[in-house]
Amino acid sequence: MSSLRHVSALFANEILVTASSSTTQRGAVYVLDPAASTQTPLLHWKGTSQAAPHCVSCVASATHAVHGAGTSGLVAVMESDKAVLHLYSWQRDQALARLVLPQKMSCLALSPQATYLAAGGHDGRLYVWEVATGALLCSMEAHYRAISVLRWTEDTGALITASQDARICVWSLPTLMQYTDLAGRAAPSPYVTFSDHSLGITDMHVTSGAFPGAARLWSASDDGTVKLWDLAARRLMTTLQWDEPIWHLAVDPLERFIVVAAKSSVQRVDMYDTTTGHALGGRGSTGVVERMSDTHRVSLSEPVSAIALSHMASHVAVGTAHGVVHIIDVLTLQTVRTLPVAGTTASATPTTPVTSICSLVRPVDLMSTLTLRGAATKRTSARGDTEASASTYIESLPLPTIAPQFARTVAPVMETMHVMLRPVPHVATAHDAPSSDVLYASPQNEGPALSTSTPRSIDTSVYEAEIQALQAQVQRAKTLNDQLWQHLVQTQAGASV
């Protein structure tokens, strides 16, 4: 019981989004609470039967003032046996949109703000759509074989594609936005191509930070290696070698350690050796390969199919081919809890593998949370009417705008709003990478220069309305803070009496 309370304290604000591939039941995407005393899912999204690996992407809800009143998050799920994409919100158990794509995809990824959706095909073709309008912004042959993993950088400045052809390509966003195969031009060149792996790429992780100076890339491969790449310097930094293929990879946000999974084992690799006082790796560019031992390893009785680190990097969620999620302590590598995915049991057959696990902070507009808060803020007036209490401060966030269908043809370059023109030459500095397509890009067939001599009138009423809305949000936040403080004082005072 004490261990359960310990896990509850660590996972107080976290959820797990799990997806499984099932041939016997509909609806295989769930939101689980790793700290709850019961195993009932918080949310069960309906409509997906077979979610493919690397085909589930989650974006949390945005509540800050940059997005006005905020926007609900988005979850994208791709079927493994058909070219069907489901887009879900945290507020509903039904799909917001069910879109038919040009072909069956092998992987997908939403950009950090859910502005773009990138998808990779089994033939190596890359697609990028704008979610709100459905415009196809990019369609090109990016790899020779199937694209296995897609990752966006934190600032959406670059899209990273990995393939079964053992190559990793980093594409700057302006380069992708200005290309269209309708003009008959050759496909753009990537910002950098990493080809040091000898077999297909199985997983990737991009560290936080702006592209390219602050972001770094981790990659795992069937060749039994995990490599660390410096995107700014475009070079290999570290190579870690195992005697078996590495299928899954998770990286601590502070890069203190990484967690890798092979066929039926999970291992933690500390990047700093406390016994010698030296950091692991750092000599990959000179050809040095660090051989990994079997220390800090735990073996499971069934094959590992997905892993995800908790938000605080204290535990790792390990999904198996039998539809079970093991919550493992990172330090001790002991299983502190087992969560069977809804609809399965611990003795389930290997026909319901967990194909994806995402760990993120609990969205404020999660469906079950909104229902409970709505019920708690009702009161009966003297007239017998049920009315909202004055302390109601939680509202459903606006749902994201989603196009009814995604386009199948790329719009001409000059007709899209996403072409980034270069009004002035970019002055290179000592900290810049030797490329001009990182932050700036201009179409090959530029039109006339933009005129800035004509003064433009500014409608101040729009800004005044936005200021008033922001002031209302600040007042609501202050009211919420006062209520929480009063509740804390009363609780602590009652506990001390």
Side-chain angles (χ1 to χ4, degrees), residues 144-163:
Y144 304 111
R145 298 184 62 186
I147 299 178
S148 54
V149 191
L150 291 173
R151 293 288 185 267
W152 290 90
T153 56
E154 187 182 38
D155 61 349
T156 322
L159 174 64
I160 304 175
T161 62
S163 171

Side-chain angles (χ1 to χ4, degrees), residues 489-497:
V489 171
Q490 294 174 2
T491 303
Q492 296 297 330
S496 61
V497 174

Side-chain angles (χ1 to χ4, degrees), residues 95-96 125 178 192 228 255 271 300 337 341 356 363 432 471:
L96 297 178
R125 194 167 188 85
Q178 73 175 8
V192 63
L228 173 61
E255 295 186 86
M271 302 309 298
L300 302 177
R337 196 175 187 197
V341 175
S356 177
D432 287 344
Q471 291 175 346

Side-chain angles (χ1 to χ4, degrees), residues 18-31:
T18 63
S20 60
S21 179
S22 174
T23 58
T24 60
Q25 66 179 18
R26 300 293 299 179
V29 185
Y30 304 91
V31 178

Side-chain angles (χ1 to χ4, degrees), residues 324-346:
V324 178
V325 177
H326 298 271
I327 307 298
I328 300 178
D329 187 279
V330 170
L331 294 179
T332 64
L333 294 183
Q334 298 294 321
T335 300
V336 298
R337 196 175 187 197
T338 300
L339 298 173
V341 175
T344 67
T345 62

